[in-house]
Amino acid sequence: MNNFETRLRKYAELTIRMGLNLQPGQHLLIWRNNLDTAPMVRAVAEAAYKAGAHWVNVFWHDEEVILSRYKYAPRDSFDEFPQWLADGMLAHAKGGGAFMAVVGDNPDLLRGQDEDLMARSQKARSAAFKPVLEYVSSDRVNWLVVGAATPAWAQKVFPELSHADALEALWEALFTFCRVDAPDPNLAWQKHIHELTARAQHMNKKRYAALRFRGPGTDLTVGLPDKHLWKGAGANTSSGIAFIPNMPTEEIFTMPHRERTEGVVKASMPLSYQGALIEDFSLEFEAGRVTSVSAQNGETVLRKLVESDDGAARLGEVALVPHSSPIAQMGRLFYSTLYDENAASHIALGRAYPGTLEGGNAMSRDELRAAGANNSIIHVDFMIGSAAMDVDGILPNGSVEAVMREGEWVFKVHS
Amino acid sequence: MNNFETRLRKYAELTIRMGLNLQPGQHLLIWRNNLDTAPMVRAVAEAAYKAGAHWVNVFWHDEEVILSRYKYAPRDSFDEFPQWLADGMLAHAKGGGAFMAVVGDNPDLLRGQDEDLMARSQKARSAAFKPVLEYVSSDRVNWLVVGAATPAWAQKVFPELSHADALEALWEALFTFCRVDAPDPNLAWQKHIHELTARAQHMNKKRYAALRFRGPGTDLTVGLPDKHLWKGAGANTSSGIAFIPNMPTEEIFTMPHRERTEGVVKASMPLSYQGALIEDFSLEFEAGRVTSVSAQNGETVLRKLVESDDGAARLGEVALVPHSSPIAQMGRLFYSTLYDENAASHIALGRAYPGTLEGGNAMSRDELRAAGANNSIIHVDFMIGSAAMDVDGILPNGSVEAVMREGEWVFKVHS
């Protein structure tokens, strides 16, 4: 336990100093943390004060109170959200305050609850938080998403273990993914960020017209917009604070062209969506659009997902992650986007990130669409990478270069 | 444990329906609750939703995060408080939202921390919260303070018990004080409130000029202003919601005249003040002012307390509680004002409540002073009642009537 405390403290310090890069005198707002994340939140608050935080505010929530709301609250209340709470967060952001999300959600919390209520609640929340989320996601302040192991989450990831062993195993995994036990974790992270940045730069120079994925059950060509931009890892605020918005982070990612994906792809891991598990599933694409879906389990859910709106049947993201990623090596589903999207190369149905197009953040919706960006109310990642996946880059002149072989990068970068 | 859950649920329902009297469609903000109060907060949230709450917001805080702040935060940050948080609470109040404080503080949390920081922090917090506290304490919305047993608090109250036994004993005490196990708890509370209200009315009709307390080490005459008002138990919002601001509540209380207390008083229980314990102490008064203090332990702290400002050496409250009060019967110090002030007749050094004077809420500071009300930055209650205490009422013509004998009420009221 003493050893655990030491590693937890190292993890917390790493997130504050290397990830968030909290500046002396900054205010910090910690949120999205349920009560079970207390050990991590306490360690983070201490690390933040030691790093010179002026004030650390924590917005705790309790999953049982949320569940009570779904069970007993008036149905018409789900279209509302207390605006003063979102306004307060915006005031914090405009005052230059940093944000940190500590996630440790029970993946099954809302299993079996009314899907309509979930959707309406999400919509009301999104509307209230829109100003602050736009402010934060455009990197006007430094922000970070990190994980904390919690009993319910651990049991879901390690169902074969006892409660205590599952919790220990999940912490062990989180520490490993964040390089806590490296001889010099800061140096390890600097090298890692440097490498991801160099890989994104390499891919940006290449200007591939498409990527081709080949593996068991997969032969998929993902066309890329002319002005696609590969991104990865590090970010900078407008005031010049360098930070890492996600820990862990193993991916470089860009935007597919909404009309240029062709072929078939078989998921390499199950997809957890709104409490349902979609397993052993394949999608076929023609001219960017899903034309057929099949799944051993959850095919109906998958079909509904793809039919959410027009853009839900097209791709919004393609990301490359080597199979040597520490998360991939675990071979487990984490039921948490922060981890699962860093475990394997993946694609996402739905909305594209404007920032993965040159000048995209300043484009109108019509301009984005004309440039090839997809739009949708959904953005759902699923994993396609594995040790058996080859990836080629297809140049505008049709010539082909190897990008990944058997799940690993082919090209070297200086790091 | 099943039995515990049942009683906890009854307790929570009692606080929501009988105490707060939450109205269907009201928003509820729960605060002052640390993470260890989770079982009670969860039960309260469920009871609130079942009673028709539109939304239950919970502002959790963690005592370890607070302690980190005292240990590591920049010293100049203690003069600040995030105004947007207090503004949000005011917005909630102005929208007609109810407030509930669930208290379960560790009495020793800040023991040994810098007293100057505590005072500055309290001052900054009070300044930020002033508008919302004025709104709430003038009963413009319904509000309630209740307790929840927590491990650290339980250990302090029952130091001779194991952790588990102490927690169980404290819950047992809290349930008992709130009449949770009465055959019909609602009816028991209605009778109790009715009796306290009748006692206050009886005392208001009497128009005593003074009360005289006599017991071991005590012979104290507390003069009362001409327009003093006895209060107790029930309250009403301006919109007509009847509620009980404190559960438990056993006292009726009024305002002493700031210049008319004479004699000597010996405390019947120790006084816990800012982490220090003042034991076996006596105070002598002349013309309303403390002229000498003595204590077996903590005499310096007591002396400093009385010297806080001019009004700190004068009385601001006198309250009568019979020794048959269930809290008094425990014979323990609870290190929590909510409980301790309902255990025995008590007096308070410092600020008087304007509402305990006829028309006092509308008076200026000068008018209050002229009417006999004391003012101070402090208001510190300490217990003087016991089974050996007699209380007399002295009428303006000098005649004397028995009010309490051996700690119990002499007069009967219809209930």
Side-chain angles (χ1 to χ4, degrees):
Chain A
M1 199 59 182
N2 195 21
N3 186 35
F4 170 75
E5 292 294 339
T6 306
R7 294 167 81 199
L8 182 66
R9 189 166 298 204
K10 279 172 75 176
Y11 178 38
E13 283 172 2
L14 200 57
T15 63
I16 285 292
R17 294 181 186 266
M18 171 65 57
L20 191 60
N21 192 12
L22 189 78
Q23 303 294 300
Q26 265 199 306
H27 287 231
L28 170 62
L29 196 135
I30 302 175
W31 68 313
R32 281 176 60 188
N33 47 293
N34 67 51
L35 301 197
D36 287 336
T37 65
M40 175 62 174
V41 170
R42 288 166 178 165
V44 166
E46 183 176 320
Y49 278 126
K50 286 181 174 172
H54 203 69
W55 194 297
V56 179
N57 255 294
V58 190
F59 276 6
W60 301 88
H61 71 264
D62 179 57
E63 296 195 319
E64 289 197 36
V65 172
I66 290 174
L67 199 54
S68 265
R69 179 170 177 244
Y70 274 88
K71 286 183 184 165
Y72 307 114
R75 305 293 94 171
D76 65 343
S77 70
F78 283 79
D79 297 315
E80 293 173 33
F81 192 88
Q83 188 62 46
W84 55 264
L85 198 58
D87 289 347
M89 289 179 65
L90 185 61
H92 167 81
K94 288 190 170 170
F99 287 82
M100 188 152 164
V102 177
V103 297
D105 297 343
N106 173 4
D108 288 336
L109 180 71
L110 297 181
R111 187 164 214 157
Q113 296 302 317
D114 186 336
E115 285 174 22
D116 177 52
L117 290 186
M118 285 186 227
R120 284 161 55 199
S121 170
Q122 187 54 49
K123 196 176 162 189
R125 189 188 173 81
S126 297
F129 276 124
K130 194 162 184 264
V132 64
L133 286 182
E134 280 180 359
Y135 201 95
V136 172
S137 64
S138 60
D139 297 345
R140 292 175 72 177
V141 291
N142 41 339
W143 59 278
L144 172 63
V145 183
V146 295
T150 57
W153 180 26
Q155 199 65 68
K156 184 76 180 174
V157 179
F158 299 96
E160 76 281 14
L161 299 183
S162 71
H163 292 281
D165 288 351
L167 189 60
E168 195 183 324
L170 186 54
W171 270 124
E172 193 66 39
L174 269 47
F175 289 154
T176 303
F177 300 160
C178 279
R179 300 169 169 77
V180 169
D181 298 323
D184 182 340
N186 283 5
L187 186 63
W189 267 95
Q190 278 163 359
K191 286 178 70 172
H192 180 57
I193 296 302
H194 189 81
E195 185 191 324
L196 287 172
T197 306
R199 288 205 184 279
Q201 284 171 348
H202 171 98
M203 294 292 279
N204 280 330
K205 274 190 200 139
K206 283 290 182 183
R207 309 312 313 156
Y208 290 125
L211 296 181
R212 185 178 175 191
F213 293 85
R214 280 175 304 159
T218 294
D219 187 351
L220 187 75
T221 300
V222 178
L224 303 176
D226 296 345
K227 298 209 161 182
H228 73 268
L229 210 56
W230 288 91
K231 293 203 146 193
N236 285 280
T237 67
S238 43
S239 61
I241 304 171
F243 68 103
I244 307 167
N246 285 187
M247 287 178 106
T249 180
E250 301 287 339
E251 61 172 352
I252 66 166
F253 60 100
T254 190
M255 168 188 300
H257 192 290
R258 64 188 295 281
E259 292 173 346
R260 296 184 192 161
T261 294
E262 305 280 348
V264 61
V265 65
K266 187 175 191 311
S268 55
M269 292 288 269
L271 167 62
S272 169
Y273 184 69
Q274 290 190 340
L277 202 62
I278 307 166
E279 293 179 287
D280 281 325
F281 65 100
S282 292
L283 301 171
E284 283 185 49
F285 289 83
E286 277 180 36
R289 201 169 193 295
V290 173
T291 53
S292 108
V293 307
S294 67
Q296 282 290 330
N297 288 312
E299 191 174 297
T300 310
V301 180
L302 179 59
R303 206 172 294 278
K304 269 193 151 179
L305 168 63
V306 168
E307 290 167 359
S308 300
D309 60 13
D310 180 59
R314 299 179 185 273
L315 297 184
E317 180 187 349
V318 56
L320 298 177
V321 179
H323 190 65
S324 55
S325 142
I327 305 171
Q329 293 304 303
M330 289 282 304
R332 297 211 176 230
L333 196 62
F334 282 86
Y335 303 90
S336 168
T337 305
L338 176 63
Y339 296 91
D340 290 331
E341 75 170 8
N342 286 303
S345 293
H346 54 274
I347 52 182
L349 290 166
R351 183 171 30 83
Y353 298 116
T356 52
L357 200 66
E358 275 177 49
N361 276 328
M363 286 184 188
S364 70
R365 191 172 287 192
D366 286 346
E367 288 170 330
L368 283 166
R369 188 183 168 96
N374 191 35
N375 196 12
S376 168
I377 54 166
I378 70 154
H379 178 103
V380 178
D381 297 270
F382 61 94
M383 286 178 274
I384 62 171
S386 72
M389 178 67 79
D390 290 342
V391 184
D392 290 331
I394 302 171
L395 287 160
N397 66 9
S399 65
V400 174
E401 296 178 352
V403 173
M404 292 183 126
R405 282 295 174 265
E406 296 182 345
E408 298 303 329
W409 294 112
V410 167
F411 63 93
K412 293 239 187 308
V413 291
H414 301 286
S415 64
Chain B
M1 201 58 184
N2 196 22
N3 186 35
F4 170 76
E5 292 295 338
T6 305
R7 294 166 82 199
L8 182 64
R9 189 165 300 203
K10 280 171 76 177
Y11 178 38
E13 283 172 2
L14 200 58
T15 63
I16 285 292
R17 294 180 186 267
M18 172 64 58
L20 192 59
N21 191 11
L22 189 77
Q23 302 295 299
Q26 265 199 305
H27 287 230
L28 170 61
L29 198 139
I30 303 175
W31 68 313
R32 281 176 60 185
N33 48 291
N34 66 51
L35 301 197
D36 287 336
T37 65
M40 174 63 174
V41 170
R42 288 168 179 163
V44 165
E46 184 176 318
Y49 278 127
K50 286 180 173 172
H54 204 69
W55 195 296
V56 179
N57 256 295
V58 189
F59 277 5
W60 302 87
H61 72 264
D62 180 58
E63 296 194 320
E64 289 198 34
V65 172
I66 290 173
L67 199 54
S68 265
R69 180 171 176 243
Y70 273 88
K71 284 183 186 167
Y72 306 116
R75 305 294 95 171
D76 64 343
S77 70
F78 283 78
D79 297 316
E80 294 174 32
F81 191 87
Q83 188 62 45
W84 54 264
L85 198 59
D87 289 347
M89 290 180 64
L90 185 61
H92 167 83
K94 288 191 169 172
F99 287 82
M100 186 155 165
V102 177
V103 297
D105 298 341
N106 173 4
D108 288 336
L109 181 71
L110 296 182
R111 187 164 215 156
Q113 297 302 316
D114 186 336
E115 285 173 23
D116 177 53
L117 289 186
M118 285 187 226
R120 284 162 54 200
S121 171
Q122 187 54 47
K123 195 176 164 191
R125 190 188 173 80
S126 298
F129 277 124
K130 193 161 184 264
V132 65
L133 286 182
E134 279 179 0
Y135 201 95
V136 172
S137 65
S138 60
D139 298 344
R140 294 175 71 175
V141 291
N142 41 341
W143 58 278
L144 171 61
V145 183
V146 295
T150 57
W153 180 26
Q155 199 64 71
K156 183 77 181 174
V157 179
F158 299 96
E160 76 282 15
L161 298 183
S162 72
H163 291 283
D165 288 351
L167 188 61
E168 196 183 323
L170 185 55
W171 271 123
E172 194 66 40
L174 268 47
F175 290 154
T176 303
F177 301 161
C178 279
R179 299 166 169 79
V180 169
D181 298 324
D184 183 340
N186 283 6
L187 186 64
W189 267 94
Q190 278 161 1
K191 285 178 70 172
H192 180 58
I193 296 301
H194 189 82
E195 185 192 324
L196 287 173
T197 305
R199 290 207 183 277
Q201 284 170 349
H202 172 98
M203 293 294 279
N204 280 329
K205 273 189 201 139
K206 284 291 183 183
R207 310 309 316 154
Y208 289 125
L211 297 181
R212 183 176 177 194
F213 294 85
R214 280 174 303 160
T218 293
D219 188 350
L220 187 76
T221 300
V222 178
L224 303 175
D226 295 345
K227 301 209 159 183
H228 72 270
L229 209 56
W230 287 91
K231 293 205 145 193
N236 285 280
T237 68
S238 42
S239 62
I241 304 170
F243 68 103
I244 306 166
N246 284 187
M247 285 179 106
T249 179
E250 302 286 341
E251 60 171 353
I252 65 166
F253 59 100
T254 192
M255 170 189 298
H257 193 291
R258 62 187 297 280
E259 293 174 346
R260 296 185 192 160
T261 294
E262 305 280 348
V264 61
V265 63
K266 186 173 192 315
S268 56
M269 292 288 269
L271 168 61
S272 169
Y273 185 70
Q274 291 190 341
L277 201 62
I278 307 166
E279 292 179 288
D280 282 325
F281 65 100
S282 292
L283 300 171
E284 283 186 49
F285 290 83
E286 277 180 36
R289 202 169 193 291
V290 174
T291 52
S292 106
V293 306
S294 66
Q296 281 291 332
N297 287 313
E299 191 174 299
T300 309
V301 180
L302 179 59
R303 204 171 294 277
K304 268 192 151 182
L305 168 63
V306 168
E307 290 168 358
S308 300
D309 61 13
D310 180 59
R314 299 178 185 273
L315 295 184
E317 181 187 347
V318 56
L320 298 177
V321 179
H323 190 66
S324 55
S325 144
I327 305 171
Q329 292 305 303
M330 290 282 305
R332 294 206 180 236
L333 196 62
F334 282 85
Y335 303 90
S336 167
T337 304
L338 176 63
Y339 295 91
D340 290 331
E341 74 171 5
N342 286 303
S345 292
H346 54 274
I347 50 181
L349 289 166
R351 182 169 32 83
Y353 299 116
T356 51
L357 200 66
E358 275 179 50
N361 276 327
M363 286 185 188
S364 70
R365 188 172 290 191
D366 286 346
E367 287 170 331
L368 283 167
R369 188 184 168 96
N374 191 34
N375 196 13
S376 169
I377 55 166
I378 70 154
H379 178 101
V380 178
D381 297 271
F382 63 93
M383 286 178 273
I384 63 171
S386 72
M389 177 68 77
D390 290 343
V391 184
D392 290 331
I394 302 170
L395 287 161
N397 65 10
S399 65
V400 174
E401 297 177 352
V403 174
M404 293 183 124
R405 282 293 173 267
E406 294 182 348
E408 299 303 327
W409 295 112
V410 168
F411 63 93
K412 293 239 186 307
V413 290
H414 301 286
S415 63

